Every structure is written in structure tokens, then in C-alpha cells.
Amino acid sequence: MEHVPALDEDLKKTLGPATAKVLAEQLGLHTALDLLHHYPRRYAERGELTSLAELADQIDEHVTVVAQVADARLLTYQGSRGGGKRLEVTITDGSGRLQLVFFGSGVHKPHKELLPGSRAMFAGKVGMFNHKLQLAHPAYEPLGADASDRDAAAAFASQLIPIYPACAKLESWKIAKCVDAVLPTAQEVVDPLPPALREDRGLVPLTEALLKIHRPVTKADIEDARGRLKWDEAFVLQVALARRRHADSQLPAVPRRPTPGGLLESFDAKLPFTLTEGQRGVSKEIFDDLATDHPMHRLLQGEVGSGKTMVALRAMLAVVDSGGQAAMLAPTEVLAQQHHRSITEMMGELAEGGMLGGSDRGTKVVLLTGSMGMPARRQALLDLITGEAGLVIGTHALIEDKVQFHDLGLVVVDEQHRFGVEQRDALRSKGKQPPHLLVMTATPIPRTVAMTVFGDLETSVLDQLPAGRSPIATHVVPAKDKPHFLARTWERVREEVENGHQAYVVCPRIGDGEDENAKGAKGGKGAAAKKKAAEEDGDRRPPLAVLEIAEQLTRGPLAGLSVEVLHGRMDPADKDDVMRRFTAGEVKVLVATTVIEVGVNVPNSTVMVIMDADRFGVSQLHQLRGRVGRGSAPGLCLLVSEMHEASPARARLAAVAATLDGFELSRIDLEQRREGDVLGQAQSGVRSSLRMLAVIEDEEVITQAREEATRVVAADPELTQLPGLRTALDALLDTEREQYLEKG
């Protein structure tokens, strides 16, 4: 009897060590179950040829095409190492033609098999030779209709061929054969959906869905399977998040209410402006959460410049009022120093509690960063453990074991996407009881992504800009096509400075000889995005660098102006000094990397020039642009690019120039990127479970799955009545993912 593998059995036993090694190393597939969940990305029909016309957009990509041989020519050539043979085969599918080439001893087999009129599947990397598309030495699988009767031939012609995500060492049809070997195990798969839910939603059983996704007979089979598999992914993930929310609601926390006539009231009384309606509404949600006896877990997302820091500060003051301490965790020293400076300025004498001239209702506000001198650091640690300091703003230094609090009541995490979950957790564990948690992000997140990535947090949105904020005009500067536009850019900077304002110039790289891999450019993505960036770049020059551009500007178009640089590898004291002088208006032009991306607030800065803007992500450009237009004078953002007008990179820039709506831009950003990028590295466990679900397109499924998951968990938090769901959850939440949700 043929060996049927177990679902969790290593693929070596079924497929042999060589194939199993490629599947594991190249595609991350280790067991029969992994392979069952490696779904085809599309289907080719033998009777209806796939399009060669689309290949022009897929240079350097591995592709699979189904086509007919138009002609084949065997040529002899003379090379530097003697003569050889070359087989040139032209294939067609009615939409276009493509050349295949085979060299040397590799010509014999295809010369016999790829005869004019024959059909085959071809797989290889799309290349360019003499301005023509070609596949060199493609793998191929003949599709001969050798059936004896017409019915069999018709069935063969209408069969759907699954095209799998493949790699150079393993073509799609070889993966299909691997799937065939494990397909019998689909009968053993445990169905995670409660039967009643499956019937209500009209979803096919999981075993049937797996058979239909891999070996569909009709297109309706594919739709049935996709509908079911999307539900699985959405539902299991939402159950994990619902259980997290349920567990959080059972934890004890100290309710924190502001004291009448206390610190918060004193602060509000001295504010020189009124809060926006949005700020008041969001503050009420936060204060209601803080007053409960289980920990707040809230995500505050707001447009650039919508006043999130003000909302967070008022929450922190409410906690200090109630006798607790509040900590704000910032991703960079520049941002921590900026927050510390702006918060102490906003609070005035209220930030000088216990000091001469300080208010008797005030508290001490301390800064804690890794680069602080020993005496200042020792004093800050002492102020925290005695409770003298009600507020602390810091970087990762806050997480160190030495840092202890008197009574930590609230943790505010700024720019959540810059922190791993472990860091958030380490800070939260410093409370005697779990502290309340407020996570802030200025990167607008579409609702479905918030439900998928931050599904264990309640969400508040600030989308109203405070009064007095000015509109920002954004223009693309095509530096290569129209060099005079770039010259005009520097004239505009000079004009703004002459009118008493200041400017930022942003570059993707520092340029001090070390290869920093353009840190921050392309939106700080992972390996896949770096590879894509490298492919997009091709033979382009290296990204422009801060140190080089600053020197060119000082000697050239901005000669005579006070120009300074700011980047992540400067000494922290120097960074703080430059930022202080820029804030004070002494420095007129700041040439910087993306260290100024978030939180930096200099209302007198009215113009920003982003060099090589095409090397940054859409959301990141929106973030950067938010550094100008923060005062009463209108803002101007100039996106300088050498990319061709018809390129996808220029289309991205045009989208940024066309709207100031961060939510709209985040949607565009997500549509241009893969789901893995969306969910980010901190959520790697969640990301790897989303194979079928598209967080933007499948909003309805995600919303319904969240409702069902909340209902199921409320009725049975331990899922004792649903062993299948419990098993699926255990598979999703291996150790790493369990920790991710535990710490979320």
C-alpha cells in the first residue's frame, strides 16, 4: 500500500531529501500541512493560452506560461572557446511572441520535443537580450493531447492547471507533483469552524476546500475554496485576538481618575488654545478607559499634526493626578528629546514640581536615554523609584532592568511600528499591577488592517487638524527631465529663508562611507522589499547622501545660509545641539535623514525638499511632509526624483502630491505592496498565517469574522466545546506567535 504521510510529517519521508530541502529553504514549507496550505496563485487553462503580452512588466521574475511552438531553429555559432550549438524556439499564445534559447548540450532534448505546433508549459526567468524578451534554458512540460477519444481530449483541453508560487530550483509543475503526493492527507485535516457557523455562511468543509483549491474541475470550485479558506484565516486570527481582549478584560488594574482642581485642570487652564472636537472626543474615550479596574489597551491613530501628543499628555497628567506615574517610550533619541522639550515647555512651571519657582501642583518631568551622562542618569533613576518624577520620556533605555518605578500607571508608546512587542511588554511589566497602555501612530491605518494587526486594541482616530494649521502644497520635481525645476527648488528655499522661515532637505542616506543600506528609505521594509528596491534600482546611482548634498548646497545654491546636518549616527549631544538651534531659528536649513520623520515640531519650518523621493514609501513621504505647515504660514513639500514620468515610482509620487489624506494614501500604499509588508516584522507570526486573505479587499470577511469570534469567545473563552478551533489556534500560535499575542 502506498505511504500516506501524516500532516505533521517531515516532507523528506514523502518527497525525498533533495526536494524537501528546496521546499524548506526556498519556500519555508516543512510538513504535508504546510504544502497543503501553499495555494496556487492563479490557474492556466490548457484550451485557452495564457498571455505573453504581460511579460514586459515581469523582467527578472520567474514566470510560467502555456504556449504553442511557432518555430524552432538550431544554429551553430563560434565563440571565444570554440564553436557550439544554440536552439532558438519562438512560442506564441495569440497575444504575443516570446523567444526561448538553449545552449550547448542542453539543445538535444528540446530540439526533439519542441516541434512547431506542439504545446507546453514553460517556466523560467524573464530576461532581455537585444531589446527582446526571452527565457534562457527554461524548464518545460509538454502538453500533448494523446488521448484516444474526443471526450478525453476535450476534458484534457478544459483542465485548469494550477500555477504555484515557485522558485528557480523548483518549477510550478514540480510543486504540483509534490502537492499530489500529500493531497490524500487533506482527509485528516481538522476543521476549525464551528459547524453552525459553516452552515450559516454556506461554506464548504475544509477538506473539500483544500481539494478544490489544488485540483479544481471548474472555476466555481476555485471560488468555493477561496471563500472558505479566507474565512479560516480571518476567523482563527480574530479568535486569537478576541481571546487576548477577553483575557485583558479579566486583568486587574488601578483605576486612574484626575483629581478635581489638580494637575490636569491647572494644565488645561493655561492652554493658549481650545482643543479640537476630535481631541475632546478621543480624550473622553481614554479617560473612560483609565477609570476602569482593568487595563486600557488603546491604539490612538491620527493624521500627521492632529495633536496626538497633546491628547497623550493630558492622559499622562490624569494618571499623575491620581498618584501614579506615566512613561512615554519614543523610538529615537531625537524624538525623545523633542517630546521632553515640548512637554516641559507646554507645562511650564507645572513641570517643575518640587523645584524653586515650580507649581505646588506640578510634578517632575525627566528624560532617560542611553547616551545620558552618569550623574544625570543616576538622578533620573532616583526620581523614578521615589516617585518624585511623575512623567518620564525615554528611549529603549527605559526598558533596562535598573529602571524601577514607584507606581507606573500608564505606558504611552509613540510610533508603535518602530518597537518590537517584547520592548512594549518589558516596560509594561514594570508596574505593580498591569499599567494602562496607549499606543500612538501617525501612520494612518485602514480599518481592516487595524482589526487584523492591532485587533487586541481598541482604536481611536484623530482626523481633524488643530486650528491655525496651514495647508501643504506638494509638487513633484522631475530633476532629470527638467533640471531648471531643480534650480527653481533651491531658489524657493532661499526665498522662504529670506522671509524669516526655515527648511528641511531630506536624503535617503548618510554618506559617511559606511554602507547603511539606505536606512529608512523604502519605508524601512524587510528583505523582500529590499530585493524589490534593488530590482527597481537596476543600474541606478546610489541614493543621495546627507553629507554630500549639504556640502553641495553650502558651496552652491544655498551659499551664505546657515546649513547644518542631522543623522542617526551623530553623537547624541551633537544631535540635540543641532535640533535645539534649529528649533530656536539659528539654523536655517537642516539637511537630514528620516530621523526627522516623526514628532519633530518646528512651526517656523515651511518648506521641505525630499531628494530621491522615489526611494521612500508613500506613508513615509506623508510622514515627512507633516513636518512643515505646522504654523500659520503655508507649507511646501517638493518631491525630487530622476525617475521617468511613466514609471511606477513616479505614479507613487503623483499620488502623494494629489492628496493630504493619510488614510487614502495608506490604502494606495497597501494596494502597491504585499500583505507581508503590511503586517510588518513585529507581527511576523500573524503575517505568515495570511496566505489567502487580502486585508484591503476582504474587509467584509474580516468584519464578520471579528463579530463571530467575539461571540464565540464570550460564550466559551477556553474553546472547550470547539476542539477543532483549539487545534487550529495552536497551529497559528506556535511559541513565537503565542508570545506576540501575550505581549501585544
Side-chain angles (χ1 to χ4, degrees), residues 388-400:
E388 187 82 14
L391 301 183
V392 58
I393 292 108
T395 55
H396 301 83
L398 280 176
I399 296 164
E400 290 166 13

Side-chain angles (χ1 to χ4, degrees), residues 690-729:
L690 299 189
R691 295 180 175 89
M692 189 61 79
L693 195 71
V695 288
I696 287 289
E697 292 159 29
D698 296 322
E699 181 161 353
E700 201 177 326
V701 175
I702 292 168
T703 307
Q704 291 171 1
R706 184 182 169 103
E707 287 164 9
E708 291 281 7
T710 306
R711 196 172 50 73
V712 164
V713 170
D716 180 8
E718 293 305 310
L719 308 178
T720 45
Q721 306 300 310
L722 298 165
L725 178 54
R726 183 74 244 196
T727 305
L729 210 56

Side-chain angles (χ1 to χ4, degrees), residues 270-334:
K270 65 194 287 299
L271 276 180
F273 52 82
T274 53
L275 298 174
T276 65
E277 207 174 306
Q279 284 174 317
R280 285 198 296 274
V282 169
S283 291
K284 183 182 183 311
E285 291 172 350
I286 291 170
F287 288 154
D288 287 350
D289 283 357
L290 289 173
T292 61
D293 53 12
H294 59 83
M296 167 172 78
H297 286 90
R298 190 166 282 280
L299 171 70
L300 171 56
Q301 52 165 326
E303 270 292 10
V304 178
S306 58
K308 290 180 301 301
T309 308
M310 175 59 70
V311 169
L313 175 57
R314 293 183 72 246
M316 291 165 85
L317 296 178
V319 169
V320 176
D321 252 354
S322 71
Q325 291 167 293
M328 180 184 272
L329 185 60
T332 64
E333 292 210 347
V334 168

